[in-house]
Amino acid sequence: MTTPRTPEVPSVATATRPEVPPPGSARGGCWEEAPAMAEAAPPGAAGACGGPDPGAVPVPVPVPRSRRLLEALLNRSLRIRMSDGRTLVGAFLCTDRDANVILGSAQEFLKAADAFPGSEPRVLGLAMVPGHHIVSIEVERDRAGTPPPGPPSAPH
């Protein structure tokens, strides 16, 4: 009785990793910063390879008040009146610098003159409202009856 023979496998050449010069050398493993960019970098900015600068102290970046207000409105229910008389109600998802607004789970209500008595709203789902068509925006109150977040009061 003979034992089954395993076929011989040819040897496989393995690729070796090229030698990487140490960071900071002329041919470093990462991109070098341009001198103008290095001077403009704030304290605590990333080093040349994207890692933190070893001697840098992190500097907190202030968040603008307008951004805090918009973030407080995320996922809140908005009522947007448009220039053609329609009203959209939905959850605020995002906006851009042109004041376009994206609403989720949006419903469209026609102006009173166009609507049939007792007509139901049209379900739109995800809707983009162009900023130049927005006449007014209202925020729905919370169930607890608290008003929407207003601008923070200045310290006295």
Side-chain angles (χ1 to χ4, degrees), residues 3 5-6 32 49 76 101 103 136 154:
T3 58
R5 246 180 135 191
T6 57
E32 297 292 324
C49 292
R76 301 272 312 259
V101 174
L103 294 178
S136 68

Side-chain angles (χ1 to χ4, degrees), residues 92 111 151:
F92 174 63
K111 57 185 173 183

Side-chain angles (χ1 to χ4, degrees), residues 33-126:
E33 290 183 278
M37 295 298 288
E39 293 171 7
C49 292
D53 192 4
V57 177
V59 177
V61 178
V63 178
R65 183 175 72 156
S66 57
R67 181 180 175 118
R68 286 194 312 262
L69 289 173
L70 279 174
E71 287 176 352
L73 293 176
L74 284 174
N75 297 317
R76 301 272 312 259
S77 184
L78 297 185
R79 177 183 296 140
I80 299 178
R81 297 189 200 285
M82 296 175 43
S83 58
D84 63 358
R86 292 180 294 164
T87 301
L88 297 179
V89 176
F92 174 63
L93 297 179
C94 68
T95 187
D96 61 12
R97 55 180 71 176
D98 295 326
N100 300 318
V101 174
I102 304 291
L103 294 178
S105 304
Q107 297 179 339
E108 176 189 47
F109 296 87
L110 299 177
K111 57 185 173 183
D114 292 345
F116 295 110
S119 65
E120 300 218 358
R122 183 168 76 147
V123 177
L124 300 177
L126 193 63

Side-chain angles (χ1 to χ4, degrees), residues 10-15:
S11 63
V12 177
T14 57

